[in-house]
Amino acid sequence: MPKKITRFSIIYSLIWKLLERGGTQGIQLIVMIVLTRLLLPEEFGLITIVVIFISIAALLIDSGFNEALIQKKNADEKDFSSVFYLNLIVAFIIYGILFFVAPLIANFFDAPQLALILRILSLTLIFGAFNSMQYAIIARTMQFKKLFVSSLLAVFISGIIGLTLAFNNYGVWALVGQQLTSQFLVTSVLWFTVKWRPQLIFSFQSITQLFSYGWKLVVSTLIYNFYTQLQSLIIAKMFSSAMLGFYSRGMQFPNIIVTNINGSIQSVMFPVLASEQDNRIRIKEMVRRSIVTSSFVIFPMMVGLAVIAEPLVDILFTEKWLPAVPFLQIFCGYYALWTIDATNLHVIKALGHSKIFLKLEIIKFLMGLIILIWSIQFGIQAVAFGVLVNRILSTILDAYPSKYLINYSFIEQLKDTIPSLLLSIVMGLITYSVKLFVLSHMLTIIIQIIVGVILYVGLAMIFRVECFTYLISNIKELIRSKKRIVID
């Protein structure tokens, strides 16, 4: 049974999750910068194609069981062991299918290397199935400190391996070695740090009960992934793997920042909301706080990143990656809205309304498909703009059920996030004007970041933005509580 969840246990879990995400993403960012300078856009495009098939396969293996285990109040050993064995069996079956269809996929994209890359990287599916229960247990019991240790160790060692291979001119295999090593190390460390082992029991009843909740989520996620991956497949087929490399690199930078912050919040939020699913007033308070706080932090970061995108890409990745700049700027808008969208979706899942979740994904898929078909005729940047438009419409749509589930309408959410959005836009316009002085790229970025931070924090203080005062008071309270613990 999960332990009793208090406000401070939520905060400390969030801190450990942020450390885990921040540490791993920080190292990954450094590794990504070096690898991007060493490797070619088409090599990143090849890996992007392979990851499309692996990510869809991973969803089929999990089938929503992990989230069902977290959401279920009285999940027991029979449930965990049954899901573990089922995941492992399905992982081997799907790996076998991918192994045999790999040459067909390689022929379709006219890239002979894809077959062997897919066969090797698909081994990560088996590793993932092997430690899937450890992830569920960590989330249920809020033991994110253990995930911090395994993730940090894995990303550090795998980063060294990837860089070593890249420096020795192994090309795309540097990316393969990095990803394979990372998943293997995470699996190994979690197996020894999370003291859970499967028992020799298997219950079809448990599987059926969990699947009744989880299948709607996995179909929903498959629909979402099919739509997002379809963009990459079309770009790779109609344009080139190099253009897919620019597109995916432009997406990855804001993705790393947002998944580090907002992903940490959502990872902690889901089990917390599930534990409080009978207290709708409490859930609304937590959801509102999550949306307001994440927006206050992420909006200025995305606006700031869009402003400094061109000189940043030139400095970090070299001039050959400048075609990725427009995509980076577009996806800054996409991931800024993701903070609100993801929170509303977690409300639906945590309260057990997976049927509503599925209906929303079907509507968004059809909407996104229409936009994609229309935009593809205008070129690859139009496709990216179409993705942004679909995100805006999806954010409005996903907020609709929250009005009835927890009495938190989209209009309320808009009012709560408008202050952060306006401050971010003002900050972005002023910091962008620094470019008019025609300074070096490095000096321009440094001045823009300093001016941007001072402006945003200063405006938040002047206008007494509620989220800013809330964060400051909580930081002070945490420091005081730490001091009391030390004294005691």
Side-chain angles (χ1 to χ4, degrees), residues 322-353:
L322 285 177
V325 171
F327 302 117
L328 193 158
Q329 292 170 327
I330 292 169
F331 283 110
C332 281
Y334 176 93
Y335 281 105
L337 293 174
W338 190 57
T339 60
I340 303 170
D341 201 14
T343 304
N344 281 305
L345 291 176
H346 272 303
V347 171
I348 299 169
K349 289 192 293 183
L351 296 181
H353 294 283

Side-chain angles (χ1 to χ4, degrees), residues 12-42:
Y12 283 121
S13 295
L14 180 58
I15 289 172
W16 279 113
K17 190 62 185 176
L18 283 168
L19 287 172
E20 181 255 324
R21 290 268 189 164
T24 56
Q25 298 281 24
I27 297 173
Q28 280 181 341
L29 182 60
I30 295 171
V31 172
M32 182 191 77
I33 291 170
V34 179
L35 288 176
T36 303
R37 294 176 70 92
L38 293 172
L39 303 178
L40 299 173
E42 49 264 37

Side-chain angles (χ1 to χ4, degrees), residues 130-148:
F130 206 76
N131 71 348
S132 58
M133 293 305 94
Q134 274 78 4
Y135 279 111
I137 290 168
I138 285 172
R140 280 180 65 88
T141 56
M142 311 287 281
Q143 300 180 58
F144 292 102
K145 183 177 180 179
K146 293 180 179 179
L147 194 58
F148 165 74

